[in-house]
Amino acid sequence: MKHLFFSLILCLFPIAVNATAIEQAPWEPRAAAYRLTLFLGNLNPTPWDKLESSWTAPVPGSALPVSALSRVTEVESADIREALRTKDRQALFEASTTAISGGILRHLDAAETALGTSSGAEPEIAIAEALFRAFEDGIAAADASAAKEIGRAWLVLNSSVGSAGLLGNGIEDPNTIAFAEAKSTISDYVEQNYLLAEFTPRSKLTPIPESIFVSGVQVDLPATLPPGSDIADQREFPRLVLQFEEAGEDEANLPLVAYGDMLFDSPEIFGGPAQELGITCSTCHNRSDVNRDFFIPGLSHRPGGMDVDSAFFNPMFNDRTDDHLDTPSMRGIRFTAPYGRDGREPSLRRFVRNVIVTEFAGKEPTPFQLDAMVAYIRQFDFLPNPKIDRAGLLTDLASDAAKRGEVLFNTKFAGLDDKSCASCHTPSRHFRDGKTYDIGTAEPPFPGGTPTAFETPTLRNVNFTAPYMHDGSLPTLASVVDWFDSTKNLGLNADQRADLTAYILAVGDGEEPYQHFEGTDSVFRLSWEELTTFASTLDTLLPAQDAENIALLVATVAPDLAADASAMTNQAAKPDVYEFAAILRAVGVASAAGDWHEANRQWNAFKIRQAEIDERMF
Ligand code: HEC
Ligand code: HEC
């Protein structure tokens, strides 16, 4: 169990509450390019090639497959191109801000001209509004009263265009006066804040209005990701196999593990943008497997991974290189030390600590928190695979092709320095050897430098973790076999390559890789069990009077519960969810105040309600 209650409810009832779970509506191409410019422009070093393609090629998350430059005026285009050519970040900010604001004003003018005509003003207003989206959250964060006034103006614009009626009925004349007034509210603000003869230089690129920026007022702009980002949970729900469950244990009796499970799903352990965006360990390491959809333009080269040490999540530890890493599966992690694609870290505990502090700018975790996370993570098992036995040899369930492939896998090749595939991917050791090699999958970091060596990855359950290699550069297992054959001159013919692929597919298989919900087994029930398991750790935290971890638990679980209850379509379940969130909060409030008697009283109330609901549900 490892998904938060709220993210599971989201699967059942698609709603727009959490930053993590909503899919963004597509962006107007220019607005998409602008938001990419702000995001990429704040990375260090500045990725100029990506900035250029933001404007010259269609970008992910954009509503139309056209380049942004194809939709700007010639002057705007020339200014943007010049800024890109001279690699002048401030000039690019100015030129692109001008292009967006110019576009808004032009489309508003066009709307006014079209008032009362057969084509109508609506399409033009819609484009202006789609462009305005590029600035909207900057205004909302920095200038709340203006944001409110402008929000009202868009409503007035849309409602004062009149109506051509239906078959001559219900004709309504446009209200030109109301329209003109609303239009100038918007265009005046845009002109004064975004269409300037001279901009003040910005060290951080943001959509904050110039008047606010110049005033020097500190603005808390919420962390945002550029269009085309996908940090929501993937649709498929990987099956989680936990060691203690196989042993017949219940997680609720393993408080350390249950608490680690909660932390694995908590953005609270991170700092900075990761916390604000609701990113957790399970955002990438989905139920011990990988989230193959995870993607952030500028940080990910392809779905399923990213550059984990970039400036975005923790500017303090930016390594200043753009190195995409494919997220590794964590199944069977207790067998697969050392850690990191390059095998740099023998200690799982230290690796986890560094993820929290170094990569995602979190506070130093307490020893208890690290113990809990490591205890939980060490429970992740491989999916069972009846095609191999305990020694990693194929069983009778494997195909003949796989069996022929097994022979090849154990054959020494000159091109592999007289090793076999099995020398490194040792079948009796979960198809890995714990060592690192430079097998030629990476370029040296600089000409003449030493290329990075990578750890031999396990081949168990590898069928579910495409793409392959540390950087995800090979899309399929067949392409990995082809890569070895051609780069290592193995001299395999097509049949042999197919056999070797069949072998890896047999070894890499797993039973029921994705969770299916049937009968009383529902997403809702799973989420319910998860929540109550997280909460059960209070049985340990309360007697220990551990206010810090109680606060973290409540901060992780209660707000999302309540937020999601507000949007649940299952009306009948709402009051229960609200009540649970409220009781949990009361535990948190009492424990923060040091009132342990009250905290315990609330916790007992929670357990009584839980027992009643459990009874009703099962
Ligand atoms: C944004 C995606 C992302 C998030 C969030 C994330 N990871 Fe990772 N994780 C990765 C990537 C990519 C790698 C490979 C990194 C490397 O080799 O340095 C990785 C590697 C690891 C490894 C090493 C696995 C191995 O077999 O070598 C562990 C352990 C791990 N992460 C644990 C965690 C924990 C615990 C958290 C939460 C505290 C977390 N990760 C959050 C993407 C993520
Ligand atoms: C010298 C040790 C070594 C030998 C021999 C070797 N491999 Fe690997 N293998 C590795 C390493 C190291 C990687 C990871 C490279 C990377 O991440 O860029 C890897 C990656 C892979 C992967 C991708 C796994 C994933 O999850 O991305 C597959 C599949 C694979 N090897 C199959 C084979 C086959 C088939 C052979 C024989 C033709 C073979 N290997 C021979 C060390 C070896």
Side-chain angles (χ1 to χ4, degrees):
M1 281 191 285
K2 51 158 274 355
H3 259 251
L4 262 193
F5 192 56
F6 72 88
S7 52
L8 291 162
I9 294 181
L10 280 168
C11 305
L12 270 186
F13 315 106
I15 50 167
V17 175
N18 295 94
T20 41
I22 42 167
E23 281 170 39
Q24 284 193 346
W27 289 69
E28 199 283 336
R30 281 166 286 180
Y34 183 70
R35 295 304 289 242
L36 259 178
T37 299
L38 299 187
F39 183 79
L40 299 172
N42 289 323
L43 299 180
N44 183 1
T46 315
W48 282 103
D49 51 333
K50 289 178 191 161
L51 278 164
E52 170 140 16
S53 52
S54 308
W55 289 92
T56 55
V59 297
S62 160
L64 295 170
V66 300
S67 78
L69 279 186
S70 70
R71 293 170 72 93
V72 303
T73 65
E74 256 169 58
V75 176
E76 288 165 355
S77 171
D79 288 348
I80 290 170
R81 282 182 191 281
E82 178 63 10
L84 287 167
R85 195 185 62 77
T86 54
K87 299 193 174 20
D88 183 335
R89 190 170 160 276
Q90 177 69 19
L92 180 62
F93 174 72
E94 295 179 7
S96 55
T97 306
T98 304
I100 300 294
S101 43
I104 295 171
L105 299 183
R106 281 196 305 280
H107 286 287
L108 284 178
D109 284 345
E112 194 162 40
T113 313
L115 273 180
T117 65
S118 60
S119 57
E122 278 118 323
E124 294 293 342
I125 298 176
I127 301 175
E129 213 170 347
L131 285 171
F132 183 75
R133 184 178 174 195
F135 303 144
E136 201 165 22
D137 53 355
I139 303 174
D143 195 351
S145 63
K148 213 162 150 191
E149 206 182 320
I150 292 171
R152 212 178 300 121
W154 285 112
L155 287 176
V156 172
L157 276 191
N158 279 298
S159 60
S160 57
V161 293
S163 165
L166 201 60
L167 303 173
N169 290 319
I171 297 176
E172 206 185 296
D173 285 334
N175 183 343
T176 47
I177 296 173
F179 187 96
E181 222 170 273
K183 177 179 169 244
S184 65
T185 300
I186 298 168
S187 29
D188 289 354
Y189 194 86
V190 167
E191 266 176 84
Q192 284 157 24
N193 286 287
Y194 297 97
L195 194 67
L196 304 156
E198 225 170 303
F199 286 81
T200 313
R202 301 203 178 190
S203 56
K204 185 165 196 251
L205 305 186
T206 66
I208 291 175
E210 183 80 359
S211 55
I212 305 289
F213 180 74
V214 171
S215 73
V217 175
Q218 201 58 40
V219 178
D220 264 339
L221 197 61
T224 49
L225 292 176
S229 300
D230 186 349
I231 59 169
D233 294 334
Q234 67 194 355
R235 293 236 175 339
E236 288 164 314
F237 218 74
R239 178 156 76 108
L240 178 61
V241 184
L242 296 164
Q243 209 188 160
F244 65 80
E245 283 181 352
E246 295 166 295
E249 270 285 355
D250 183 346
E251 190 172 351
N253 298 327
L254 301 167
L256 194 65
V257 170
Y259 198 70
D261 187 352
M262 191 280 293
L263 294 175
F264 201 78
D265 271 342
S266 173
E268 300 290 319
I269 59 172
F270 293 150
Q275 184 185 100
E276 282 181 35
L277 293 166
I279 288 179
T280 70
C281 306
S282 54
T283 302
C284 299
H285 301 283
N286 194 5
R287 295 175 61 81
S288 78
D289 193 28
V290 294
N291 177 355
R292 284 183 297 168
D293 296 339
F294 180 94
F295 187 80
I296 300 180
L299 301 184
S300 309
H301 292 187
R302 51 182 71 83
M306 67 163 202
D307 178 5
V308 282
D309 41 22
S310 74
F312 179 65
F313 286 113
N314 190 353
M316 301 292 292
F317 289 94
N318 176 23
D319 71 350
R320 295 185 50 87
T321 56
D322 173 17
D323 37 9
H324 173 103
L325 287 175
D326 188 55
T327 307
S329 167
M330 288 175 75
R331 285 185 169 133
I333 189 119
R334 68 183 181 284
F335 305 115
T336 61
Y339 302 104
R341 288 282 184 181
D342 56 0
R344 64 189 171 277
E345 180 52 74
S347 154
L348 184 55
R349 190 184 166 89
R350 245 186 344 247
F351 194 96
V352 171
R353 183 260 168 208
N354 283 341
V355 171
I356 296 171
V357 177
T358 310
E359 282 166 19
F360 296 107
K363 282 205 310 212
E364 191 63 46
T366 63
F368 168 73
Q369 289 168 345
L370 277 179
D371 287 347
M373 294 194 76
V374 171
Y376 174 62
I377 291 167
R378 288 181 60 85
Q379 300 294 324
F380 296 162
D381 253 336
F382 293 114
L383 296 169
N385 177 8
K387 290 178 189 154
I388 49 174
D389 66 16
R390 290 176 67 94
L393 303 175
L394 290 185
T395 64
D396 291 345
L397 292 171
S399 66
D400 289 342
K403 285 177 189 155
R404 291 191 300 271
E406 187 173 38
V407 176
L408 288 168
F409 195 79
N410 287 284
T411 302
K412 290 180 177 152
F413 291 95
L416 294 175
D417 295 334
D418 276 331
K419 285 184 183 154
S420 67
C421 310
S423 312
C424 299
H425 300 280
T426 314
S428 61
R429 299 185 60 197
H430 301 292
F431 300 87
R432 22 102 28 218
D433 60 358
K435 296 191 182 135
T436 59
Y437 303 93
D438 165 22
I439 59 166
T441 49
E443 299 285 325
F446 51 89
T450 318
T452 316
F454 295 99
E455 188 196 349
T456 311
T458 176
L459 300 183
R460 292 201 58 185
N461 301 155
V462 78
N463 294 9
F464 314 106
T465 58
Y468 300 105
M469 301 306 193
H470 69 280
D471 54 357
S473 55
L474 295 176
T476 60
L477 290 168
S479 66
V480 176
V481 168
D482 290 348
W483 181 87
F484 274 105
D485 184 47
S486 63
T487 62
K488 310 292 172 199
N489 301 312
L490 304 185
L492 302 175
N493 63 32
D495 286 345
Q496 291 172 314
R497 291 198 301 273
D499 289 346
L500 192 51
T501 305
Y503 172 72
I504 300 175
L505 282 165
V507 164
D509 207 357
E511 276 184 328
E512 264 187 74
Y514 299 100
Q515 185 106 24
H516 294 288
F517 296 101
E518 293 163 33
T520 56
D521 241 1
S522 62
V523 173
F524 184 82
R525 177 165 159 182
L526 188 67
S527 62
W528 172 257
E529 285 177 359
E530 178 125 278
L531 165 73
T532 50
T533 301
F534 289 170
S536 73
T537 58
L538 285 170
D539 270 332
T540 311
L541 299 174
L542 279 168
Q545 306 201 340
D546 183 346
E548 185 187 344
N549 283 300
I550 292 173
L552 203 157
L553 176 99
V554 173
T556 303
V557 180
D560 289 313
L561 258 182
D564 292 343
S566 71
M568 271 171 74
T569 52
N570 182 350
Q571 298 287 332
K574 263 190 199 181
D576 285 339
V577 180
Y578 275 129
E579 194 185 334
F580 262 76
I583 302 178
L584 257 191
R585 275 217 189 80
V587 174
V589 169
S591 100
D595 185 347
W596 298 106
H597 176 77
E598 173 64 9
N600 277 298
R601 200 182 66 79
Q602 293 288 355
W603 172 228
N604 284 326
F606 184 100
K607 285 192 282 194
I608 291 166
R609 289 290 290 123
Q610 182 193 333
E612 285 167 16
I613 294 175
D614 276 345
E615 188 130 322
R616 234 188 297 149
M617 231 180 359
F618 303 119

